[in-house]
């Protein structure tokens, strides 16, 4: 336990009494030292955070406020925690001006009995400080050993960060070289509401292009320590440690050790992830070739199991808005966390994700977080995996910023017209049918054509619905076909015109 004024006051052998009001926080603050001096101004030889003891010789001739008040003011300005004044040696009692000055400047004033040697107090404080430092050193060494052992574990990077959390009682967050949060399974994650605040500070630190350490204070989050990983221009990322308060020397040493080991573990993790990705790519080639049994046995030995069929295959669109490295790291973490529920792999410069057909919610949330667009196949058996791959690719080509997730079976259920409308085909249909507005005799050729097509091209029923002769109807249909440059006697052209009109049926 750190030595404080309260501990000293509670130590009966010293017979000290507090003679001025004091904040409980001030009484509980740790003392860095205790020393005696009767100099009128001892501050040039003192550091902050200690207890100054005096017999009051400096006030023997003059204990007036004019002398005492500047003396106390200098002590408080220098960061002295308290003043201990011995009575019945030089002064029978404390000078009233000293008590008033200590009250005015908020400096705790202790009365020390004449029979209490200053050396006893100094030795007590010194031994307590040394014991506390020794305990902290031993704790720091134990923490260093725990972190070193954690680095040897298979999940070395996550284990190192968890040890740092445990020893400092804080949250720890790892960011990659682009300032993106790296998903690591720690016990105390960075509060989601402050991820972007810390990320902005990380990106600004990394943008300097050199190793750096920063301390910043974020409202509602407290003190945060940032430290880059890597050297010079080859920065690998940054570590953020949320302690809520400034780190002391021992804790700073521990953070520096974690940074060194994290840099190594990060490189090892990247090398291992690269090897895993190549292996995953090989497995998806087996699946695409129909060699499901070999692929399944390999996955079972390494990652557990392939997702239970029927499965959905997703093809991720990698564009400027998608950070592939960050996404792959997140997929790796999700695959490890939910063994047998997700498989992913890279193939032909694309990323494919595979999950049970009814277990895509968590995956979709992760993909949305990384601003990825994904096309999903319909539910499929492993035996039909090659076709599911093709479906996923086709669905991916139909994604957009407005429709980032497209599932082939849902698209088929909604119908072709719905899909055409979702992909902006109304504008194409409007331009395609625009020539019908060019009729010079005021006839509504578009309505004429729509009624005729609605009657499956039957002349008499359509003519009766329009209230015209069937020969007139035939003439108008021929004019419309010429304006559209379409042969309306052919099924293909007739179907194309009907689709365009159906898209615009609400106009």
């Amino acid at each position: 336990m750190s030595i404080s004024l309260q501990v000293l006051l509670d130590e009966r052998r010293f017979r000290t009494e507090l003679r001025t009001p004091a904040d409980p926080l001030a009484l509980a603050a740790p003392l860095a030292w205790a020393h005696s001096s009767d100099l009128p101004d001892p501050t040039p030889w003192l550091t902050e955070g200690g207890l100054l003891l005096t017999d009051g010789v400096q006030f023997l001739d003059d204990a007036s406020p004019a002398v005492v008040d500047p003396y106390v003011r200098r002590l408080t300005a220098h960061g002295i925690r308290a003043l201990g004044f011995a009575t019945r040696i030089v002064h029978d009692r404390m000078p009233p001006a000293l008590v008033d000055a200590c009250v005015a400047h908020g400096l705790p004033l202790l009365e020390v009995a004449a029979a209490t040697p200053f050396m006893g107090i100094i030795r007590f404080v010194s031994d307590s400080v040394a014991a506390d430092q020794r305990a902290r050193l031993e704790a720091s060494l134990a923490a260093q050993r725990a972190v070193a052992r954690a680095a040897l574990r298979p999940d070395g990077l996550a284990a190192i960060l968890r040890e740092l959390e445990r020893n400092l009682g804080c949250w720890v967050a790892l960011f990659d070289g682009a300032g993106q949060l790296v998903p690591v399974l720690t016990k105390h994650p960075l509060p989601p509401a402050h991820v972007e605040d810390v990320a902005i500070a990380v990106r600004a630190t990394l943008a300097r292009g050199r190793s750096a350490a920063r301390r910043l204070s974020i409202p509602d989050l407290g003190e945060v320590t940032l430290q880059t990983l890597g050297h010079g221009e080859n920065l690998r990322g940054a570590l953020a440690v949320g302690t809520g308060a400034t780190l002391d020397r021992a804790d700073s040493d521990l953070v520096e050790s974690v940074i060194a080991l994290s840099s190594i573990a990060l490189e090892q993790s990247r090398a291992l992830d690269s090897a895993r990705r190549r292996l995953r790519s090989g497995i998806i080639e087996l699946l695409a070739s129909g060699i499901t049994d070999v692929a399944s046995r390999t996955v079972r030995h390494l990652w557990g199991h392939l997702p239970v069929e029927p499965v959905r295959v997703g093809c991720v669109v990698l564009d400027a808005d998608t950070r592939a490295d960050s996404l792959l790291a997140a997929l790796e973490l999700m695959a490890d966390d939910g063994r047998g529920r997700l498989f992913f792999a890279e193939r032909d410069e694309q990323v494919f994700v595979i999950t049970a057909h009814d277990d895509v919610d968590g995956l979709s949330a992760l993909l949305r977080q990384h601003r990825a667009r994904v096309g999903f196949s319909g539910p499929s058996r492993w035996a039909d995996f090659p076709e599911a791959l093709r479906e996923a690719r086709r669905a991916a080509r139909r994604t957009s910023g407005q429709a980032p997730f497209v599932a082939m079976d849902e698209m088929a259920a909604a119908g072709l017209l719905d899909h055409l409308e979702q992909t902006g085909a109304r504008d194409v249909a409007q331009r395609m049918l625009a020539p019908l507005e060019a009729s010079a005799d005021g006839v509504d050729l578009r309505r004429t054509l729509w009624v005729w097509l609605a009657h499956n091209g039957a002349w008499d029923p359509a003519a009766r619905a329009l209230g015209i002769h069937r020969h007139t109807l035939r003439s108008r249909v021929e004019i419309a076909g010429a304006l559209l440059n379409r042969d309306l006697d052919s099924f293909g052209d007739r179907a194309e015109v009907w689709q365009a009109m159906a898209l615009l049926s609400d106009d």
Side-chain angles (χ1 to χ4, degrees):
M1 180 179 65
S2 300
I3 180 66
S4 66
L5 285 177
Q6 190 61 62
V7 172
L8 187 62
L9 288 167
D10 293 340
E11 188 65 33
R12 293 184 176 275
R13 58 182 162 138
F14 294 130
R15 293 185 293 174
T16 56
E17 297 289 341
L18 185 64
R19 296 306 185 195
T20 58
D23 188 329
L25 292 177
L27 295 178
L31 290 173
W33 50 263
H35 188 64
S36 63
S37 174
D38 294 328
L39 291 173
D41 182 12
T43 56
W45 294 273
L46 301 177
T47 59
E48 64 180 357
L51 167 65
L52 178 64
L53 302 169
T54 181
D55 289 331
V57 173
Q58 64 273 41
F59 307 129
L60 184 59
D61 296 328
D62 187 356
S64 67
V67 174
V68 174
D69 192 81
Y71 173 81
V72 174
R73 187 186 303 113
R74 287 193 294 269
L75 296 185
T76 55
H78 199 67
I80 303 304
R81 292 237 188 269
L83 177 66
F85 193 92
T87 55
R88 300 184 183 279
I89 297 177
V90 177
H91 297 264
D92 289 335
R93 63 188 183 90
M94 288 189 182
L98 181 62
V99 177
D100 293 342
C102 287
V103 171
H105 295 289
L107 180 67
L109 178 62
L110 280 63
E111 181 177 351
V112 182
T116 300
F118 282 173
M119 185 53 66
I121 295 176
I122 294 171
R123 180 69 178 270
F124 177 73
V125 172
S126 177
D127 289 348
S128 298
V129 170
D132 183 59
Q133 290 177 340
R134 183 168 60 253
R136 292 192 63 80
L137 177 59
E138 290 173 354
S140 179
L141 291 174
Q144 300 269 7
R145 288 193 293 269
V147 167
R149 287 194 299 270
L152 300 176
R153 292 179 49 177
D155 60 337
L157 183 58
I160 288 170
L161 300 185
R162 286 196 295 269
E163 276 298 327
L164 182 60
E165 283 182 328
R166 186 180 67 82
N167 281 279
L168 298 188
C170 65
W171 58 260
V172 179
L174 184 66
F175 291 81
D176 63 18
Q180 297 292 321
L181 183 65
V182 177
V184 179
L185 283 175
T186 54
K187 292 184 178 180
H188 307 291
L190 169 60
H194 296 288
V195 169
E196 188 57 27
D197 294 332
V198 178
I200 290 172
V202 167
R203 287 193 284 270
T205 304
L206 293 173
R208 300 175 182 177
R210 60 181 183 274
S211 299
R214 289 182 62 192
R215 288 190 180 92
L216 59 148
S217 182
I218 296 178
D220 300 325
L221 191 61
E223 189 89 4
V224 177
T225 298
L226 298 182
Q227 175 66 58
T228 57
L229 302 176
H231 300 284
E233 298 179 356
N234 192 27
L235 296 179
R236 299 297 188 185
L239 190 67
V241 182
T243 59
T246 303
L247 298 175
D248 62 17
R249 182 65 261 173
D251 290 343
S252 295
D253 289 343
L254 180 61
V255 171
E256 289 176 6
S257 296
V258 166
I259 288 166
L261 290 172
S262 294
S263 297
I264 297 172
L266 193 58
E267 290 301 321
Q268 291 174 336
S269 178
R270 286 182 175 178
L272 182 59
D273 286 348
S274 179
R276 284 178 174 176
R277 290 173 187 174
R278 288 194 294 271
L279 185 55
R280 289 180 183 276
S281 296
I283 289 171
I284 203 171
E285 290 299 334
L286 293 175
L287 293 170
S289 300
I291 312 175
T292 308
D293 54 344
V294 176
S296 180
R297 286 198 302 272
T298 304
V299 170
R300 187 167 61 251
H301 289 313
L302 296 172
W303 293 292
H305 296 276
L306 286 170
V308 177
E309 62 181 16
V311 298
R312 284 188 187 272
V313 179
C315 178
V316 181
V317 178
L318 298 179
D319 55 23
D321 293 330
T322 307
R323 285 196 50 78
D325 289 344
S326 179
L327 174 61
L328 289 170
L331 288 172
E332 189 76 55
L333 185 65
M334 176 174 278
D336 287 343
D337 191 35
R339 295 173 70 84
R341 296 177 56 188
L342 171 70
F343 184 79
F344 74 95
E346 297 165 89
R347 183 176 191 250
D348 299 332
E349 298 183 352
Q350 292 177 307
V351 175
F352 291 91
V353 291
I354 307 166
T355 187
H357 80 285
D358 57 353
D359 191 24
V360 298
D361 290 344
L363 174 60
S364 296
L366 183 145
L367 294 169
R368 189 176 291 108
Q369 179 183 350
H370 287 78
R371 299 179 181 177
R373 293 187 285 118
V374 188
F376 285 103
S377 71
S380 175
R381 296 180 302 124
W382 283 111
D384 301 322
F385 184 76
E387 177 57 29
L389 274 179
R390 287 189 285 271
E391 276 193 6
R393 283 200 184 97
R394 289 196 294 269
R397 288 196 291 270
R398 289 164 172 78
T399 60
S400 65
Q402 292 72 36
F405 299 111
V406 173
M408 186 62 74
D409 55 325
E410 294 175 2
M411 186 170 63
L416 187 59
L417 280 179
D418 182 76
H419 170 66
L420 290 173
E421 188 168 4
Q422 294 297 324
T423 55
R426 287 176 63 90
D427 294 337
V428 177
Q430 186 68 53
R431 182 173 290 275
M432 174 182 170
L433 298 178
L436 296 179
E437 310 299 330
S439 176
D441 56 4
V443 175
D444 189 347
L445 290 179
R446 179 169 158 181
R447 180 174 179 275
T448 300
L449 201 54
W450 176 244
V451 172
W452 177 65
L453 290 172
H455 286 81
N456 300 314
W459 299 104
D460 288 339
R464 283 195 298 273
L466 290 167
I468 60 176
H469 194 276
R470 63 188 181 89
H471 292 307
T472 303
L473 173 60
R474 185 183 295 275
S475 174
R476 291 179 181 178
V477 168
E478 289 176 354
I479 293 171
L483 290 171
L484 296 174
N485 195 27
R486 297 291 193 280
D487 180 5
L488 296 180
D489 288 332
S490 73
F491 174 79
D493 284 1
R494 188 181 296 184
E496 187 177 11
V497 171
W498 178 85
Q499 286 177 343
M501 287 194 157
L503 285 169
L504 302 175
S505 60
D506 295 333
D507 291 359

